[in-house]
Amino acid sequence: MNHGTPGAFLSFNPDKALAEADKADISKPLGGIPIGIKDNINVLDEPCSCASKILQNSYTSPYDATAILQLRNAGAIPLGRLNLDEFAMGSSTEHSALQTTHNPAAPGHIPGGSSGGSAAAVAGNLIPASLGSDTGGSIRQPAAHCGVVGLKPTYGRVSRYGLVAFGSSLDQIGPITRTVSDAAILLNHLSGHDPKDSTSLNHPTPDFTQSINKGAKGLKIGLPIEYFTDGLCPKMKERIEVAAKSLESQGAEILQISLPHTEYAVATYYIIAPAEASSNLSRFDGVRYGNRAPNSPDIPSLHQNTRALGFGPEVKRRIILGTYVLSSGYYDAYYLRAQKVRTLIRQDFEQAFQKVDAIIAPVSPETAPKLGEISNDPIKQFLADIFTISANLTGNPAISVPLKPINNLPVGLQIIGKHLDEETILRCAQSIEQGT
Ligand code: GLN
């Protein structure tokens, strides 16, 4: 089904939505507000396909994810299922096995991914806000490409219970909205400790809307020298420099910082994320979830045929890569080494955050490519994740906020914060939003 021009929704039940709207308690903070949901987050009695043939038309969620329950408690209505790269693996939503999503802000271009449906639905004014998931940039990058706001909270701030796991040590649920203050409001309701997620943090939730208007005055903001190299399109570089100047003119101090292990981030992520994915996706075996391949005489062929038919090429690539790096004989050389480099990347950020309150960076090296332009070039796609994956490897919160477009194509500024300090990045983002 294609509801609305961007092809953002995979499914949508208008009768259910209207019935829920009739019952909505508008005295609640999000009373009656529809929030679109990425199709890898479980909503009771709704399909959850992860944009994969293995789950298409065969799986209905028996429960609400904690993030959904919390939104419902605040009065919101989860509305429809939004397209994504299959199992959230990709950066363009072109790896959806079910549907193409267009970029409403840039016709003919990808919406970004993997939460491409979530960003396109908000950018196309179909809904005021949506939920996405971010394992290596999947909230921030589509938000940047579609010209909306996308927030990846600190790892553990928002419960992952009910999010279909991709890379469990990297995944976070977060909001995609039109404004920074809407992101702050949603984060208020999404945050909090959940005993059902063992990595959920038991940390108080501030009112994130309280501090967003404090301005940038007095903040120390870091510009990582390693991010401003040849790989960054010159106009994008210029936009980030203009944003830095704008923060400076509002009283922030801009400092050059170094994140020396940046060059290893892509390789590290593309070992750890597929390793975790290969383990997480082993549950899709044709027995417990989803579709089952016919004519499979024994258990091994049942698994093999089901996965061969059910998974698309990108998901297979990740499972093969992940299985390889975890296999005996290669584990030390790849997986263990990647974990050690992950620690070095985390230490880079810890050192930088001794000097600065927030880091600003590009989200993507370039604006959104055209549909089909890089979908057959996995290496090019992997490399384009360079600026977003570090915050997942380290767990730091990060937001994308729109800057002035380049040739009518949206641009996002990324602001990365200290652990659990979403308040400062929201505050900087608000300053940028008001400046543009
Ligand atoms: N583009 C990255 C990948 O394909 C990130 C995806 C995500 O954050 N879910 O792994």
Side-chain angles (χ1 to χ4, degrees):
M1 261 190 286
N2 184 344
H3 298 275
T5 43
F9 281 95
L10 289 171
S11 64
F12 169 59
N13 183 339
D15 296 335
K16 187 177 169 202
L18 286 172
E20 290 191 21
D22 280 340
K23 282 189 289 174
D25 177 354
I26 55 165
S27 68
K28 290 192 170 175
L30 302 179
I33 295 177
I35 314 262
I37 309 297
K38 186 175 181 178
D39 199 23
N40 63 348
I41 301 172
N42 280 275
V43 174
L44 177 69
D45 293 336
E46 301 252 340
C48 185
S49 75
C50 298
S52 179
K53 292 203 166 126
I54 211 160
L55 292 173
Q56 184 189 20
N57 300 330
S58 65
Y59 175 80
T60 303
S61 302
Y63 69 109
D64 273 329
T66 299
I68 299 297
L69 271 181
Q70 293 187 190
L71 288 182
R72 285 196 205 276
N73 287 341
I77 302 172
L79 186 80
R81 311 295 304 163
L82 292 163
N83 200 15
L84 65 153
D85 287 296
E86 185 175 358
F87 284 101
M89 296 170 189
S91 318
S92 68
T93 312
E94 292 170 298
H95 297 301
S96 166
L98 309 184
Q99 186 168 291
T100 301
T101 298
H102 296 262
N103 185 332
H109 293 254
I110 61 157
S114 64
S115 313
S118 301
V122 174
N125 286 327
L126 301 178
I127 38 169
S130 62
L131 291 190
S133 67
D134 192 313
T135 304
S138 277
I139 289 175
R140 292 160 284 159
Q141 187 259 24
H145 283 342
C146 290
V148 292
V149 174
L151 171 65
K152 180 196 89 72
T154 304
Y155 181 78
R157 170 75 88 185
V158 176
S159 169
R160 293 184 293 111
Y161 179 72
L163 167 68
V164 178
F166 163 10
S168 307
S169 75
L170 307 155
D171 300 337
Q172 262 297 279
I173 291 175
I176 295 183
T177 55
R178 280 203 274 282
T179 65
V180 175
S181 68
D182 283 353
I185 292 169
L186 281 195
L187 188 61
N188 279 351
H189 298 291
L190 291 168
S191 301
H193 180 243
D194 179 12
K196 290 188 179 130
D197 170 2
S198 63
T199 59
S200 162
L201 297 172
N202 201 346
H203 191 83
T205 303
D207 178 353
F208 293 103
T209 63
Q210 280 292 307
S211 48
I212 57 171
N213 287 317
K214 277 192 183 162
K217 194 167 178 342
L219 290 177
K220 291 197 169 83
I221 296 185
L223 270 177
I225 40 173
E226 291 80 4
Y227 285 19
F228 295 87
T229 54
D230 295 347
L232 182 64
C233 127
K235 283 221 162 130
M236 189 69 82
K237 179 166 180 251
E238 198 187 294
R239 287 288 183 280
I240 309 299
E241 285 165 353
V242 170
K245 287 252 154 56
S246 149
L247 290 168
E248 198 169 30
S249 71
Q250 295 178 52
E253 188 184 345
I254 308 293
L255 302 167
Q256 284 228 327
I257 55 158
S258 176
L259 299 170
H261 296 93
T262 297
E263 64 175 303
Y264 305 110
V266 172
T268 304
Y269 172 87
Y270 279 100
I271 290 172
I272 293 173
E276 295 184 9
S278 71
S279 165
N280 279 323
L281 269 61
S282 65
R283 76 192 62 191
F284 299 101
D285 55 6
V287 178
R288 287 170 292 179
Y289 302 98
N291 293 310
R292 178 178 299 174
N295 309 325
S296 305
D298 51 33
I299 296 285
S301 64
L302 171 74
H303 291 173
Q304 214 170 353
N305 296 342
T306 296
R307 289 172 181 156
L309 281 174
F311 288 141
E314 188 59 33
V315 173
K316 286 178 184 159
R317 189 177 358 257
R318 307 291 176 110
I319 293 173
I320 291 167
L321 202 59
T323 307
Y324 178 78
V325 300
L326 288 176
S327 58
S328 86
Y330 295 102
Y331 180 93
D332 286 2
Y334 295 108
Y335 184 73
L336 193 64
R337 210 147 166 218
Q339 291 290 14
K340 289 180 179 166
V341 181
R342 183 179 191 173
T343 302
L344 296 174
I345 294 170
R346 187 180 298 134
Q347 287 168 352
D348 284 356
F349 278 77
E350 280 164 10
Q351 273 160 20
F353 281 123
Q354 285 177 3
K355 289 192 224 119
V356 297
D357 304 302
I359 294 171
I360 59 171
V363 174
S364 178
E366 293 181 27
T367 51
K370 292 207 166 87
L371 281 157
E373 199 177 320
I374 61 163
S375 52
N376 294 322
D377 189 341
I379 300 291
K380 197 160 183 201
Q381 287 192 45
F382 292 177
L383 289 174
D385 292 339
I386 175 75
F387 302 121
T388 50
I389 51 190
S390 291
N392 300 82
L393 290 167
T394 63
N396 291 75
I399 192 168
S400 172
V401 60
L403 296 177
K404 198 171 137 208
I406 298 173
N407 303 330
N408 294 323
L409 298 174
V411 171
L413 172 74
Q414 183 176 203
I415 309 166
I416 307 170
K418 293 180 182 172
H419 275 265
L420 291 165
D421 189 16
E422 284 86 354
E423 285 174 289
T424 299
I425 59 172
L426 284 161
R427 188 176 148 191
C428 291
Q430 177 82 343
S431 303
I432 292 289
E433 187 178 84
Q434 287 176 349
T436 51

